[in-house]
Amino acid sequence: MCGIVGYIGKNQAAPILLEGLSKLEYRGYDSAGIAVYNNNELEVAKSKGKLAVLSEKIDGGKKLGGNMGIGHTRWATHGQATEANAHPHTSANGRLILVHNGVIENYLQIKDEYLSGDTFKGETDTEIAVHLIGHFVDEGNSVLDAFKKALHIIQGSYAFALVDSENPDTIYVAKNKSPLLIGIGNGYNMVCSDAMAMIRETSEFMEIHDKELVVLTKDS
C-alpha cells in the first residue's frame, strides 16, 4: 500500500519527508521519492528499492534545502518497479509534480482523449493524472482550476498531493476512497496518508473527506 507525506513551513522539508516515509515502510513498497522546492525550483529525487537508497542519494535530505515538499512510497499497481515509475511524477510542461495513492480506473481513456500527443517517461496512471492537470494549465487555467477540472474527469480512488514549481507557498491535496490527513502545526502544515508518518511533528490532525480538495500553506 502506497504512502504519502507532505510538508510546508519554516523548517527544511526533506529530512521531515524522509522521516515520515520511514514510518510508512510497514505498508510495503518497491520504490520511493520526494520533490522539494530547492533553489527556486522543484527538485525530484527517487529510487527503486528501499528508502535507505533514496536517503543515501540525497545525503539524508541535506542536499535539498527547501521548506516545502512531498514524498511517496510506491507499491506497483501500474508498471514495473522502476525509477521511472516511482513517484513523484511531473507534467509534460515540467511545472507540476504529483504523488498519488489509489487507482485511476479511466486512465487509458484520459490518455487517448486528452493526451494523445504527450510523451510519458513511465507506465503509471499517476503520470497521466499530472499530465491532465498540466494540460488544463496549458489551456490558461490556474493550477487550482486545472486540478478541479481534472478531478471531475478522473474516476476511481485517489489521494493526491500536487505542487507547482511557480508557487512554493502551496500544496494542493484531494482524496476519494484513499486515506489522507492534514497535520496542523504552528507555522507549518503537513499532509499524510497515515498519522504515524507525522506523529513526531504534530498531534493535531484534520480528516479530509471523499471528494474534498484542500489548499495548504504554512499558515492555513
Side-chain angles (χ1 to χ4, degrees):
M1 190 176 184
C2 305
I4 286 175
V5 295
Y7 174 89
I8 184 166
K10 53 194 176 183
N11 296 321
Q12 187 181 0
I16 294 171
L17 298 175
L18 289 173
E19 172 66 21
L21 291 176
S22 75
K23 301 298 184 187
L24 300 177
E25 288 188 284
Y26 74 90
R27 292 168 163 237
Y29 64 103
D30 56 47
S31 58
I34 66 172
V36 173
Y37 193 82
N38 183 46
N39 295 326
N40 297 317
E41 65 177 356
L42 277 169
E43 190 167 342
V44 175
K46 51 188 183 177
S47 64
K48 178 184 172 182
K50 294 298 182 184
L51 186 61
V53 178
L54 174 66
S55 183
E56 183 177 354
K57 192 184 231 184
I58 56 176
D59 193 15
K62 293 175 185 175
K63 289 184 178 179
L64 303 176
N67 334 92
M68 180 272 275
I70 53 177
H72 190 268
T73 50
R74 174 181 185 261
W75 189 257
T77 52
H78 293 97
Q80 298 299 309
T82 65
E83 188 170 309
N85 286 328
H87 299 213
H89 288 290
T90 305
S91 60
N93 59 16
R95 176 175 171 178
L96 306 174
I97 294 178
L98 182 74
V99 294
H100 163 228
N101 291 352
V103 177
I104 298 171
E105 296 168 359
N106 61 334
Y107 76 105
L108 291 177
Q109 180 184 341
I110 291 170
K111 185 178 181 180
D112 291 341
E113 188 170 342
Y114 294 94
L115 309 171
S116 58
D118 284 17
T119 300
F120 297 91
K121 297 176 181 177
E123 307 158 284
T124 70
D125 54 345
T126 307
E127 189 175 10
I128 286 170
V130 74
H131 275 235
L132 179 64
I133 302 165
H135 168 77
F136 290 133
V137 169
D138 289 343
E139 288 187 337
N141 295 281
S142 69
V143 172
L144 180 58
D145 285 342
F147 195 21
K148 289 178 181 177
K149 280 177 176 284
L151 291 174
H152 281 297
I153 293 166
I154 289 167
Q155 298 171 11
S157 60
Y158 57 77
F160 288 132
L162 174 74
V163 289
D164 174 12
S165 62
E166 296 184 11
N167 181 9
D169 301 319
T170 305
I171 300 175
Y172 304 89
V173 299
K175 79 170 285 283
N176 184 49
K177 302 177 185 176
S178 289
L180 201 61
L181 299 169
I182 300 299
I184 300 168
N186 182 15
Y188 62 95
N189 285 301
M190 292 165 289
V191 59
C192 54
S193 48
D194 185 324
M196 282 298 298
M198 292 298 174
I199 201 71
R200 209 171 93 166
E201 304 296 329
T202 184
S203 57
E204 187 176 354
F205 294 91
M206 180 179 73
E207 183 180 0
I208 307 172
H209 297 291
D210 285 350
K211 301 295 181 76
E212 285 189 334
L213 183 153
V214 179
V215 180
L216 204 61
T217 71
K218 66 182 180 63
D219 297 315
S220 65

